[in-house]
Amino acid sequence: MSESNVIWQSQLNKARIAYDSLLTRFSDVLAGSDALKQVLKDFPVKITPYYLDLINKTGKTGPIAKQVLPSVAELEAVSGTSPDPLHETQFMPVPGLLHKYSNRVLVLLTQTCAVHCRFCFRRHALKNNLKTMLPANLEKIADYIRVHKEVSEVILSGGDPLTLASEAIDHTLRLFSGIPHIRTFRIHTKIPAVLPERITKDLIEILSRYKTMWIVTHFNHPYELTSQVIEVCAAMINHGLPLLNQTVLLKNVNDNVDTLRDLFLGLIQLRIKPYYLHLLDAVAGASHFGVEEMKAVNLLKMLNKNLPGYAVPVLVKEIPGRSGKTPIF
Ligand SMILES: *Cc1c(COP(=O)(O)O)cnc(C)c1O
């Protein structure tokens, strides 16, 4: 294993934070309780050393901290929420493969993420349903795609596909690139935002080796656009990997026009196209991050007046059962 792989894998291994060390580290903002213990049991805390450092720089009650620090509010039962708000398990012809939109499929390549976003819409799915994915299912997934000629794009998601070893990513891409009707690949990843060390030269070389590859990043706040992030994003783009970004609209994190404006201007400056702004899905445990649709539409109207057209993402929401995300504005 090369030197640079050792670094990111050890950072990834350090990300899981147990209850006691969490309380020690965040004693000023988190109070120990049985409820908090339960929260961690349901959905453990994971924060990479890089992202912890960013929290230290931006405040323990700041917008970075809020995305990854647990809250007892996660235990509140809120009507209308569910562990599988998008009814995803219903669109899984093969375990690990979501075929919901006719011409593209989403492969849930791993359950592992480098950080646990407290608002994650797959926070329950990762724990419960998707144990059996690799490697046997990868062949079954490829068999399914081979006979579904309407599919032109394979999207790698999870979990975070870039937490896998480079060899596994290479193997996966090679397998799918052998299917003639697949024209493009896409990777949905939070890694550039939370574990930039993982974007090694080797990885970039693998990602750009096969079919046209689009990378979809997940930046939610301008504080996340650090010098290290700027460097790895430029490295990807300079090697021919175009970058899009998805943002989730989150209460008390980025639900104001100045923050979103800074974020989207920052992204286009880095040559990253803001793609979607998502309204929060009705996942159980994350309702305290919800922003009302009316407020979201008003934010978008203000952004449209203040930004270049291509800097404004499409505001979307997932309506269970619809074959595609529904544009709201
Ligand atoms: C979001 C999503 C996609 C990708 O949709 P785009 O609109 O093409 O970005 C594909 N499959 C599933 C199940 C999704 O949730």
Side-chain angles (χ1 to χ4, degrees), residues 43-48 51 64-71 74 112-124 126 159-160 189-191 193-194 218-220 224 248 250 280 283-286 288-289:
F43 190 46
V45 169
K46 267 185 104 171
I47 313 173
T48 55
Y51 214 60
I64 305 302
K66 282 208 170 71
Q67 297 183 57
V68 290
L69 285 189
S71 157
E74 293 175 42
T112 302
C113 277
V115 303
H116 283 172
C117 305
R118 306 316 296 181
F119 51 87
C120 177
F121 73 103
R122 291 207 183 105
R123 52 182 288 161
H124 304 280
L126 296 182
D160 198 312
T189 179
K190 181 105 181 165
I191 287 288
V194 295
H218 181 187
F219 294 105
N220 288 329
E224 292 171 328
V248 183
L250 299 166
L280 194 78
V283 65
H288 51 296
F289 286 108

mmCIF file of all heavy atoms in Angstrom, residues 43-48 51 64-71 74 112-124 126 159-160 189-191 193-194 218-220 224 248 250 280 283-286 288-289:
data_model
loop_
_atom_site.group_PDB
_atom_site.id
_atom_site.type_symbol
_atom_site.label_atom_id
_atom_site.label_comp_id
_atom_site.label_asym_id
_atom_site.label_seq_id
_atom_site.Cartn_x
_atom_site.Cartn_y
_atom_site.Cartn_z
ATOM 1 N N PHE A 43 -27.393 5.443 15.859
ATOM 2 C CA PHE A 43 -26.619 6.006 14.743
ATOM 3 C C PHE A 43 -25.346 6.608 15.340
ATOM 4 O O PHE A 43 -25.335 7.745 15.805
ATOM 5 C CB PHE A 43 -27.470 7.073 14.048
ATOM 6 C CG PHE A 43 -26.910 7.575 12.732
ATOM 7 C CD1 PHE A 43 -26.428 6.705 11.768
ATOM 8 C CD2 PHE A 43 -26.914 8.937 12.458
ATOM 9 C CE1 PHE A 43 -25.943 7.179 10.547
ATOM 10 C CE2 PHE A 43 -26.429 9.423 11.242
ATOM 11 C CZ PHE A 43 -25.953 8.537 10.283
ATOM 12 N N PRO A 44 -24.252 5.820 15.335
ATOM 13 C CA PRO A 44 -23.003 6.243 15.990
ATOM 14 C C PRO A 44 -22.481 7.565 15.431
ATOM 15 O O PRO A 44 -22.832 7.952 14.320
ATOM 16 C CB PRO A 44 -22.024 5.113 15.662
ATOM 17 C CG PRO A 44 -22.863 3.960 15.267
ATOM 18 C CD PRO A 44 -24.136 4.508 14.697
ATOM 19 N N VAL A 45 -21.650 8.208 16.238
ATOM 20 C CA VAL A 45 -21.022 9.444 15.777
ATOM 21 C C VAL A 45 -19.749 9.106 15.016
ATOM 22 O O VAL A 45 -18.922 8.315 15.480
ATOM 23 C CB VAL A 45 -20.703 10.370 16.972
ATOM 24 C CG1 VAL A 45 -19.819 11.536 16.541
ATOM 25 C CG2 VAL A 45 -22.001 10.886 17.580
ATOM 26 N N LYS A 46 -19.621 9.675 13.829
ATOM 27 C CA LYS A 46 -18.383 9.533 13.055
ATOM 28 C C LYS A 46 -17.987 10.899 12.530
ATOM 29 O O LYS A 46 -18.773 11.560 11.856
ATOM 30 C CB LYS A 46 -18.590 8.592 11.858
ATOM 31 C CG LYS A 46 -18.233 7.153 12.143
ATOM 32 C CD LYS A 46 -18.352 6.306 10.898
ATOM 33 C CE LYS A 46 -16.984 5.996 10.317
ATOM 34 N NZ LYS A 46 -17.082 4.990 9.234
ATOM 35 N N ILE A 47 -16.785 11.322 12.869
ATOM 36 C CA ILE A 47 -16.251 12.604 12.394
ATOM 37 C C ILE A 47 -14.771 12.378 12.107
ATOM 38 O O ILE A 47 -14.033 11.904 12.978
ATOM 39 C CB ILE A 47 -16.398 13.725 13.468
ATOM 40 C CG1 ILE A 47 -17.810 13.747 14.077
ATOM 41 C CG2 ILE A 47 -16.038 15.085 12.869
ATOM 42 C CD1 ILE A 47 -17.972 14.715 15.257
ATOM 43 N N THR A 48 -14.314 12.701 10.932
ATOM 44 C CA THR A 48 -12.895 12.499 10.604
ATOM 45 C C THR A 48 -12.035 13.539 11.335
ATOM 46 O O THR A 48 -12.522 14.618 11.690
ATOM 47 C CB THR A 48 -12.659 12.670 9.093
ATOM 48 O OG1 THR A 48 -13.168 13.950 8.702
ATOM 49 C CG2 THR A 48 -13.326 11.579 8.289
ATOM 50 N N TYR A 51 -12.292 16.888 9.748
ATOM 51 C CA TYR A 51 -13.543 17.624 9.988
ATOM 52 C C TYR A 51 -13.611 18.107 11.450
ATOM 53 O O TYR A 51 -14.154 19.178 11.732
ATOM 54 C CB TYR A 51 -14.729 16.720 9.633
ATOM 55 C CG TYR A 51 -15.935 17.443 9.058
ATOM 56 C CD1 TYR A 51 -15.853 18.183 7.879
ATOM 57 C CD2 TYR A 51 -17.182 17.360 9.687
ATOM 58 C CE1 TYR A 51 -16.965 18.827 7.340
ATOM 59 C CE2 TYR A 51 -18.298 17.996 9.155
ATOM 60 C CZ TYR A 51 -18.188 18.734 7.981
ATOM 61 O OH TYR A 51 -19.295 19.363 7.464
ATOM 62 N N ILE A 64 -20.695 23.683 11.045
ATOM 63 C CA ILE A 64 -20.014 22.415 10.750
ATOM 64 C C ILE A 64 -20.340 21.422 11.861
ATOM 65 O O ILE A 64 -20.746 20.287 11.615
ATOM 66 C CB ILE A 64 -18.484 22.625 10.628
ATOM 67 C CG1 ILE A 64 -18.171 23.700 9.577
ATOM 68 C CG2 ILE A 64 -17.761 21.322 10.317
ATOM 69 C CD1 ILE A 64 -18.708 23.430 8.194
ATOM 70 N N ALA A 65 -20.185 21.872 13.104
ATOM 71 C CA ALA A 65 -20.485 21.022 14.260
ATOM 72 C C ALA A 65 -21.924 20.501 14.203
ATOM 73 O O ALA A 65 -22.184 19.312 14.441
ATOM 74 C CB ALA A 65 -20.254 21.806 15.549
ATOM 75 N N LYS A 66 -22.850 21.383 13.878
ATOM 76 C CA LYS A 66 -24.279 20.993 13.877
ATOM 77 C C LYS A 66 -24.582 19.820 12.942
ATOM 78 O O LYS A 66 -25.492 19.040 13.198
ATOM 79 C CB LYS A 66 -25.141 22.182 13.439
ATOM 80 C CG LYS A 66 -25.342 23.194 14.556
ATOM 81 C CD LYS A 66 -26.665 23.942 14.377
ATOM 82 C CE LYS A 66 -26.974 24.752 15.616
ATOM 83 N NZ LYS A 66 -26.064 25.917 15.750
ATOM 84 N N GLN A 67 -23.832 19.715 11.859
ATOM 85 C CA GLN A 67 -24.117 18.649 10.890
ATOM 86 C C GLN A 67 -23.743 17.259 11.393
ATOM 87 O O GLN A 67 -24.284 16.263 10.918
ATOM 88 C CB GLN A 67 -23.352 18.912 9.581
ATOM 89 C CG GLN A 67 -23.769 20.185 8.872
ATOM 90 C CD GLN A 67 -23.027 20.343 7.557
ATOM 91 O OE1 GLN A 67 -23.083 19.489 6.691
ATOM 92 N NE2 GLN A 67 -22.311 21.450 7.410
ATOM 93 N N VAL A 68 -22.811 17.210 12.364
ATOM 94 C CA VAL A 68 -22.289 15.891 12.753
ATOM 95 C C VAL A 68 -22.386 15.573 14.243
ATOM 96 O O VAL A 68 -22.165 14.433 14.642
ATOM 97 C CB VAL A 68 -20.814 15.717 12.297
ATOM 98 C CG1 VAL A 68 -20.745 15.606 10.779
ATOM 99 C CG2 VAL A 68 -19.937 16.850 12.788
ATOM 100 N N LEU A 69 -22.698 16.585 15.076
ATOM 101 C CA LEU A 69 -22.839 16.308 16.507
ATOM 102 C C LEU A 69 -24.248 15.796 16.787
ATOM 103 O O LEU A 69 -25.227 16.325 16.271
ATOM 104 C CB LEU A 69 -22.574 17.559 17.342
ATOM 105 C CG LEU A 69 -21.115 18.005 17.498
ATOM 106 C CD1 LEU A 69 -21.011 19.116 18.536
ATOM 107 C CD2 LEU A 69 -20.207 16.843 17.884
ATOM 108 N N PRO A 70 -24.355 14.753 17.641
ATOM 109 C CA PRO A 70 -25.668 14.168 17.901
ATOM 110 C C PRO A 70 -26.525 15.078 18.781
ATOM 111 O O PRO A 70 -25.997 15.948 19.475
ATOM 112 C CB PRO A 70 -25.319 12.881 18.649
ATOM 113 C CG PRO A 70 -24.047 13.217 19.358
ATOM 114 C CD PRO A 70 -23.293 14.132 18.437
ATOM 115 N N SER A 71 -27.827 14.870 18.715
ATOM 116 C CA SER A 71 -28.742 15.640 19.558
ATOM 117 C C SER A 71 -29.846 14.698 20.045
ATOM 118 O O SER A 71 -30.273 13.802 19.290
ATOM 119 C CB SER A 71 -29.348 16.783 18.739
ATOM 120 O OG SER A 71 -30.567 17.197 19.307
ATOM 121 N N GLU A 74 -32.991 13.768 18.090
ATOM 122 C CA GLU A 74 -33.088 12.683 17.108
ATOM 123 C C GLU A 74 -34.033 11.569 17.567
ATOM 124 O O GLU A 74 -34.465 10.747 16.764
ATOM 125 C CB GLU A 74 -31.691 12.099 16.840
ATOM 126 C CG GLU A 74 -30.777 13.086 16.130
ATOM 127 C CD GLU A 74 -29.340 12.583 15.961
ATOM 128 O OE1 GLU A 74 -29.156 11.405 15.624
ATOM 129 O OE2 GLU A 74 -28.412 13.378 16.199
ATOM 130 N N THR A 112 -20.438 2.100 4.461
ATOM 131 C CA THR A 112 -19.551 2.953 5.248
ATOM 132 C C THR A 112 -19.501 4.375 4.713
ATOM 133 O O THR A 112 -19.436 4.593 3.512
ATOM 134 C CB THR A 112 -18.121 2.357 5.234
ATOM 135 O OG1 THR A 112 -18.202 1.039 5.757
ATOM 136 C CG2 THR A 112 -17.164 3.185 6.062
ATOM 137 N N CYS A 113 -19.545 5.336 5.635
ATOM 138 C CA CYS A 113 -19.278 6.735 5.320
ATOM 139 C C CYS A 113 -18.127 7.203 6.210
ATOM 140 O O CYS A 113 -17.878 6.618 7.258
ATOM 141 C CB CYS A 113 -20.504 7.597 5.600
ATOM 142 S SG CYS A 113 -21.706 7.578 4.262
ATOM 143 N N ALA A 114 -17.457 8.263 5.793
ATOM 144 C CA ALA A 114 -16.355 8.790 6.604
ATOM 145 C C ALA A 114 -16.884 9.602 7.784
ATOM 146 O O ALA A 114 -16.258 9.650 8.836
ATOM 147 C CB ALA A 114 -15.432 9.638 5.740
ATOM 148 N N VAL A 115 -18.008 10.265 7.590
ATOM 149 C CA VAL A 115 -18.686 10.945 8.706
ATOM 150 C C VAL A 115 -20.144 10.499 8.700
ATOM 151 O O VAL A 115 -20.647 10.044 7.670
ATOM 152 C CB VAL A 115 -18.650 12.495 8.605
ATOM 153 C CG1 VAL A 115 -17.238 13.034 8.510
ATOM 154 C CG2 VAL A 115 -19.473 12.977 7.436
ATOM 155 N N HIS A 116 -20.796 10.621 9.834
ATOM 156 C CA HIS A 116 -22.237 10.406 9.871
ATOM 157 C C HIS A 116 -22.931 11.757 9.968
ATOM 158 O O HIS A 116 -22.848 12.438 10.998
ATOM 159 C CB HIS A 116 -22.629 9.511 11.052
ATOM 160 C CG HIS A 116 -22.333 8.067 10.813
ATOM 161 N ND1 HIS A 116 -22.450 7.104 11.780
ATOM 162 C CD2 HIS A 116 -21.935 7.414 9.684
ATOM 163 C CE1 HIS A 116 -22.134 5.915 11.268
ATOM 164 N NE2 HIS A 116 -21.811 6.086 10.008
ATOM 165 N N CYS A 117 -23.580 12.157 8.874
ATOM 166 C CA CYS A 117 -24.369 13.387 8.882
ATOM 167 C C CYS A 117 -25.638 13.089 9.675
ATOM 168 O O CYS A 117 -26.342 12.121 9.375
ATOM 169 C CB CYS A 117 -24.751 13.781 7.460
ATOM 170 S SG CYS A 117 -23.331 13.923 6.354
ATOM 171 N N ARG A 118 -25.937 13.917 10.639
ATOM 172 C CA ARG A 118 -27.089 13.601 11.504
ATOM 173 C C ARG A 118 -28.405 13.681 10.738
ATOM 174 O O ARG A 118 -29.416 13.140 11.172
ATOM 175 C CB ARG A 118 -27.121 14.526 12.737
ATOM 176 C CG ARG A 118 -25.856 14.564 13.582
ATOM 177 C CD ARG A 118 -25.218 13.223 13.866
ATOM 178 N NE ARG A 118 -26.018 12.295 14.655
ATOM 179 C CZ ARG A 118 -25.610 11.084 15.021
ATOM 180 N NH1 ARG A 118 -24.400 10.660 14.695
ATOM 181 N NH2 ARG A 118 -26.398 10.295 15.726
ATOM 182 N N PHE A 119 -28.423 14.357 9.594
ATOM 183 C CA PHE A 119 -29.653 14.532 8.811
ATOM 184 C C PHE A 119 -29.788 13.490 7.704
ATOM 185 O O PHE A 119 -30.682 13.579 6.866
ATOM 186 C CB PHE A 119 -29.670 15.937 8.185
ATOM 187 C CG PHE A 119 -28.404 16.266 7.433
ATOM 188 C CD1 PHE A 119 -28.276 15.916 6.100
ATOM 189 C CD2 PHE A 119 -27.333 16.885 8.075
ATOM 190 C CE1 PHE A 119 -27.098 16.170 5.410
ATOM 191 C CE2 PHE A 119 -26.145 17.146 7.384
ATOM 192 C CZ PHE A 119 -26.034 16.791 6.054
ATOM 193 N N CYS A 120 -28.905 12.493 7.687
ATOM 194 C CA CYS A 120 -28.855 11.544 6.569
ATOM 195 C C CYS A 120 -30.188 10.833 6.355
ATOM 196 O O CYS A 120 -30.784 10.321 7.290
ATOM 197 C CB CYS A 120 -27.777 10.490 6.840
ATOM 198 S SG CYS A 120 -27.705 9.225 5.559
ATOM 199 N N PHE A 121 -30.636 10.768 5.086
ATOM 200 C CA PHE A 121 -31.912 10.091 4.810
ATOM 201 C C PHE A 121 -31.746 8.580 4.716
ATOM 202 O O PHE A 121 -32.725 7.857 4.661
ATOM 203 C CB PHE A 121 -32.585 10.657 3.543
ATOM 204 C CG PHE A 121 -31.920 10.243 2.259
ATOM 205 C CD1 PHE A 121 -32.472 9.247 1.470
ATOM 206 C CD2 PHE A 121 -30.773 10.868 1.841
ATOM 207 C CE1 PHE A 121 -31.866 8.866 0.278
ATOM 208 C CE2 PHE A 121 -30.157 10.489 0.656
ATOM 209 C CZ PHE A 121 -30.700 9.489 -0.123
ATOM 210 N N ARG A 122 -30.502 8.102 4.684
ATOM 211 C CA ARG A 122 -30.290 6.648 4.703
ATOM 212 C C ARG A 122 -29.743 6.193 6.061
ATOM 213 O O ARG A 122 -29.132 5.138 6.165
ATOM 214 C CB ARG A 122 -29.338 6.210 3.580
ATOM 215 C CG ARG A 122 -29.919 6.335 2.200
ATOM 216 C CD ARG A 122 -29.316 5.369 1.183
ATOM 217 N NE ARG A 122 -29.901 5.640 -0.127
ATOM 218 C CZ ARG A 122 -29.269 6.280 -1.125
ATOM 219 N NH1 ARG A 122 -28.022 6.646 -0.994
ATOM 220 N NH2 ARG A 122 -29.892 6.503 -2.254
ATOM 221 N N ARG A 123 -29.949 7.010 7.096
ATOM 222 C CA ARG A 123 -29.362 6.682 8.395
ATOM 223 C C ARG A 123 -29.887 5.367 8.959
ATOM 224 O O ARG A 123 -29.181 4.686 9.690
ATOM 225 C CB ARG A 123 -29.550 7.814 9.419
ATOM 226 C CG ARG A 123 -30.967 8.299 9.565
ATOM 227 C CD ARG A 123 -31.070 9.448 10.554
ATOM 228 N NE ARG A 123 -30.880 8.987 11.921
ATOM 229 C CZ ARG A 123 -30.549 9.786 12.935
ATOM 230 N NH1 ARG A 123 -30.360 11.072 12.725
ATOM 231 N NH2 ARG A 123 -30.415 9.289 14.139
ATOM 232 N N HIS A 124 -31.091 4.980 8.596
ATOM 233 C CA HIS A 124 -31.633 3.708 9.076
ATOM 234 C C HIS A 124 -31.318 2.582 8.108
ATOM 235 O O HIS A 124 -31.013 1.463 8.514
ATOM 236 C CB HIS A 124 -33.138 3.816 9.288
ATOM 237 C CG HIS A 124 -33.515 4.924 10.222
ATOM 238 N ND1 HIS A 124 -33.435 4.800 11.588
ATOM 239 C CD2 HIS A 124 -33.924 6.192 9.985
ATOM 240 C CE1 HIS A 124 -33.791 5.950 12.154
ATOM 241 N NE2 HIS A 124 -34.093 6.815 11.194
ATOM 242 N N LEU A 126 -28.759 2.178 6.267
ATOM 243 C CA LEU A 126 -27.378 1.715 6.368
ATOM 244 C C LEU A 126 -27.253 0.672 7.453
ATOM 245 O O LEU A 126 -26.464 -0.255 7.356
ATOM 246 C CB LEU A 126 -26.454 2.897 6.663
ATOM 247 C CG LEU A 126 -26.396 3.952 5.565
ATOM 248 C CD1 LEU A 126 -25.424 5.047 5.941
ATOM 249 C CD2 LEU A 126 -25.986 3.335 4.242
ATOM 250 N N GLY A 159 -23.962 4.743 1.762
ATOM 251 C CA GLY A 159 -22.566 4.836 2.099
ATOM 252 C C GLY A 159 -21.791 5.757 1.155
ATOM 253 O O GLY A 159 -22.367 6.408 0.320
ATOM 254 N N ASP A 160 -20.507 5.780 1.337
ATOM 255 C CA ASP A 160 -19.677 6.596 0.448
ATOM 256 C C ASP A 160 -18.711 5.696 -0.308
ATOM 257 O O ASP A 160 -17.816 5.082 0.290
ATOM 258 C CB ASP A 160 -18.896 7.643 1.260
ATOM 259 C CG ASP A 160 -18.379 8.768 0.372
ATOM 260 O OD1 ASP A 160 -17.797 8.451 -0.693
ATOM 261 O OD2 ASP A 160 -18.547 9.940 0.734
ATOM 262 N N THR A 189 -20.442 11.494 -3.546
ATOM 263 C CA THR A 189 -19.502 11.355 -2.439
ATOM 264 C C THR A 189 -19.374 12.599 -1.577
ATOM 265 O O THR A 189 -19.407 13.726 -2.071
ATOM 266 C CB THR A 189 -18.098 10.961 -2.977
ATOM 267 O OG1 THR A 189 -17.194 10.850 -1.869
ATOM 268 C CG2 THR A 189 -17.545 12.006 -3.947
ATOM 269 N N LYS A 190 -19.216 12.365 -0.311
ATOM 270 C CA LYS A 190 -18.965 13.440 0.645
ATOM 271 C C LYS A 190 -17.460 13.549 0.931
ATOM 272 O O LYS A 190 -17.014 14.449 1.645
ATOM 273 C CB LYS A 190 -19.746 13.089 1.927
ATOM 274 C CG LYS A 190 -19.661 14.050 3.057
ATOM 275 C CD LYS A 190 -20.919 14.869 3.214
ATOM 276 C CE LYS A 190 -20.750 15.853 4.373
ATOM 277 N NZ LYS A 190 -21.774 16.894 4.343
ATOM 278 N N ILE A 191 -16.688 12.607 0.414
ATOM 279 C CA ILE A 191 -15.261 12.512 0.750
ATOM 280 C C ILE A 191 -14.471 13.812 0.537
ATOM 281 O O ILE A 191 -13.712 14.220 1.430
ATOM 282 C CB ILE A 191 -14.609 11.310 0.020
ATOM 283 C CG1 ILE A 191 -15.071 10.006 0.662
ATOM 284 C CG2 ILE A 191 -13.089 11.413 0.013
ATOM 285 C CD1 ILE A 191 -14.499 9.713 2.038
ATOM 286 N N ALA A 193 -15.275 16.724 0.955
ATOM 287 C CA ALA A 193 -15.609 17.673 2.021
ATOM 288 C C ALA A 193 -15.136 17.233 3.400
ATOM 289 O O ALA A 193 -14.941 18.069 4.281
ATOM 290 C CB ALA A 193 -17.128 17.900 2.050
ATOM 291 N N VAL A 194 -14.975 15.939 3.608
ATOM 292 C CA VAL A 194 -14.705 15.466 4.966
ATOM 293 C C VAL A 194 -13.416 14.651 5.140
ATOM 294 O O VAL A 194 -12.966 14.443 6.266
ATOM 295 C CB VAL A 194 -15.898 14.632 5.511
ATOM 296 C CG1 VAL A 194 -17.132 15.503 5.654
ATOM 297 C CG2 VAL A 194 -16.185 13.416 4.645
ATOM 298 N N HIS A 218 -20.699 16.984 -1.974
ATOM 299 C CA HIS A 218 -21.765 17.335 -1.023
ATOM 300 C C HIS A 218 -21.242 18.395 -0.054
ATOM 301 O O HIS A 218 -20.842 18.078 1.070
ATOM 302 C CB HIS A 218 -22.214 16.059 -0.288
ATOM 303 C CG HIS A 218 -23.314 16.276 0.698
ATOM 304 N ND1 HIS A 218 -23.742 15.284 1.556
ATOM 305 C CD2 HIS A 218 -24.087 17.348 0.968
ATOM 306 C CE1 HIS A 218 -24.724 15.754 2.319
ATOM 307 N NE2 HIS A 218 -24.941 17.001 1.989
ATOM 308 N N PHE A 219 -21.222 19.636 -0.526
ATOM 309 C CA PHE A 219 -20.844 20.750 0.341
ATOM 310 C C PHE A 219 -22.111 21.474 0.777
ATOM 311 O O PHE A 219 -22.974 21.779 -0.046
ATOM 312 C CB PHE A 219 -19.923 21.730 -0.405
ATOM 313 C CG PHE A 219 -18.578 21.147 -0.753
ATOM 314 C CD1 PHE A 219 -18.277 20.765 -2.051
ATOM 315 C CD2 PHE A 219 -17.609 20.968 0.238
ATOM 316 C CE1 PHE A 219 -17.039 20.227 -2.379
ATOM 317 C CE2 PHE A 219 -16.366 20.424 -0.080
ATOM 318 C CZ PHE A 219 -16.082 20.061 -1.387
ATOM 319 N N ASN A 220 -22.194 21.745 2.070
ATOM 320 C CA ASN A 220 -23.389 22.401 2.616
ATOM 321 C C ASN A 220 -23.132 23.804 3.130
ATOM 322 O O ASN A 220 -24.079 24.529 3.429
ATOM 323 C CB ASN A 220 -23.967 21.568 3.777
ATOM 324 C CG ASN A 220 -24.628 20.297 3.301
ATOM 325 O OD1 ASN A 220 -25.171 20.261 2.195
ATOM 326 N ND2 ASN A 220 -24.580 19.259 4.108
ATOM 327 N N GLU A 224 -16.778 24.932 4.484
ATOM 328 C CA GLU A 224 -16.209 23.655 4.046
ATOM 329 C C GLU A 224 -15.237 23.802 2.875
ATOM 330 O O GLU A 224 -14.539 22.861 2.531
ATOM 331 C CB GLU A 224 -17.338 22.678 3.672
ATOM 332 C CG GLU A 224 -18.144 22.262 4.889
ATOM 333 C CD GLU A 224 -19.405 21.476 4.537
ATOM 334 O OE1 GLU A 224 -19.991 21.726 3.468
ATOM 335 O OE2 GLU A 224 -19.809 20.630 5.342
ATOM 336 N N VAL A 248 -27.894 20.029 0.964
ATOM 337 C CA VAL A 248 -29.168 19.824 1.652
ATOM 338 C C VAL A 248 -29.468 21.103 2.429
ATOM 339 O O VAL A 248 -28.589 21.631 3.126
ATOM 340 C CB VAL A 248 -29.111 18.613 2.616
ATOM 341 C CG1 VAL A 248 -30.474 18.379 3.265
ATOM 342 C CG2 VAL A 248 -28.672 17.354 1.875
ATOM 343 N N LEU A 250 -30.592 23.018 5.370
ATOM 344 C CA LEU A 250 -30.626 22.584 6.768
ATOM 345 C C LEU A 250 -30.864 23.759 7.706
ATOM 346 O O LEU A 250 -30.104 24.751 7.683
ATOM 347 C CB LEU A 250 -29.281 21.923 7.121
ATOM 348 C CG LEU A 250 -28.886 20.678 6.330
ATOM 349 C CD1 LEU A 250 -27.416 20.356 6.551
ATOM 350 C CD2 LEU A 250 -29.766 19.492 6.727
ATOM 351 N N LEU A 280 -35.145 18.631 2.906
ATOM 352 C CA LEU A 280 -34.886 17.460 3.746
ATOM 353 C C LEU A 280 -35.964 16.398 3.537
ATOM 354 O O LEU A 280 -37.145 16.718 3.450
ATOM 355 C CB LEU A 280 -34.901 17.920 5.208
ATOM 356 C CG LEU A 280 -34.340 16.952 6.228
ATOM 357 C CD1 LEU A 280 -32.819 16.986 6.187
ATOM 358 C CD2 LEU A 280 -34.823 17.322 7.621
ATOM 359 N N VAL A 283 -37.125 11.740 7.044
ATOM 360 C CA VAL A 283 -36.539 10.584 7.724
ATOM 361 C C VAL A 283 -36.677 10.752 9.238
ATOM 362 O O VAL A 283 -36.491 11.854 9.770
ATOM 363 C CB VAL A 283 -35.051 10.387 7.318
ATOM 364 C CG1 VAL A 283 -34.167 11.520 7.777
ATOM 365 C CG2 VAL A 283 -34.513 9.055 7.833
ATOM 366 N N ALA A 284 -37.018 9.666 9.911
ATOM 367 C CA ALA A 284 -37.158 9.714 11.367
ATOM 368 C C ALA A 284 -35.832 10.107 11.999
ATOM 369 O O ALA A 284 -34.786 9.580 11.635
ATOM 370 C CB ALA A 284 -37.612 8.345 11.874
ATOM 371 N N GLY A 285 -35.855 11.060 12.920
ATOM 372 C CA GLY A 285 -34.652 11.450 13.650
ATOM 373 C C GLY A 285 -33.991 12.716 13.157
ATOM 374 O O GLY A 285 -33.011 13.176 13.743
ATOM 375 N N ALA A 286 -34.490 13.309 12.066
ATOM 376 C CA ALA A 286 -33.812 14.490 11.516
ATOM 377 C C ALA A 286 -34.728 15.703 11.367
ATOM 378 O O ALA A 286 -34.322 16.715 10.789
ATOM 379 C CB ALA A 286 -33.178 14.139 10.173
ATOM 380 N N HIS A 288 -35.554 18.081 13.156
ATOM 381 C CA HIS A 288 -35.078 19.377 13.657
ATOM 382 C C HIS A 288 -34.212 20.111 12.624
ATOM 383 O O HIS A 288 -33.866 21.270 12.837
ATOM 384 C CB HIS A 288 -34.341 19.204 14.995
ATOM 385 C CG HIS A 288 -33.262 18.148 14.983
ATOM 386 N ND1 HIS A 288 -33.512 16.817 14.789
ATOM 387 C CD2 HIS A 288 -31.923 18.242 15.135
ATOM 388 C CE1 HIS A 288 -32.384 16.136 14.827
ATOM 389 N NE2 HIS A 288 -31.399 16.983 15.031
ATOM 390 N N PHE A 289 -33.880 19.456 11.505
ATOM 391 C CA PHE A 289 -33.137 20.130 10.430
ATOM 392 C C PHE A 289 -34.062 20.664 9.320
ATOM 393 O O PHE A 289 -33.597 21.260 8.361
ATOM 394 C CB PHE A 289 -32.149 19.156 9.772
ATOM 395 C CG PHE A 289 -30.933 18.844 10.604
ATOM 396 C CD1 PHE A 289 -30.778 17.595 11.205
ATOM 397 C CD2 PHE A 289 -29.925 19.788 10.766
ATOM 398 C CE1 PHE A 289 -29.640 17.289 11.953
ATOM 399 C CE2 PHE A 289 -28.784 19.498 11.508
ATOM 400 C CZ PHE A 289 -28.647 18.250 12.106
#
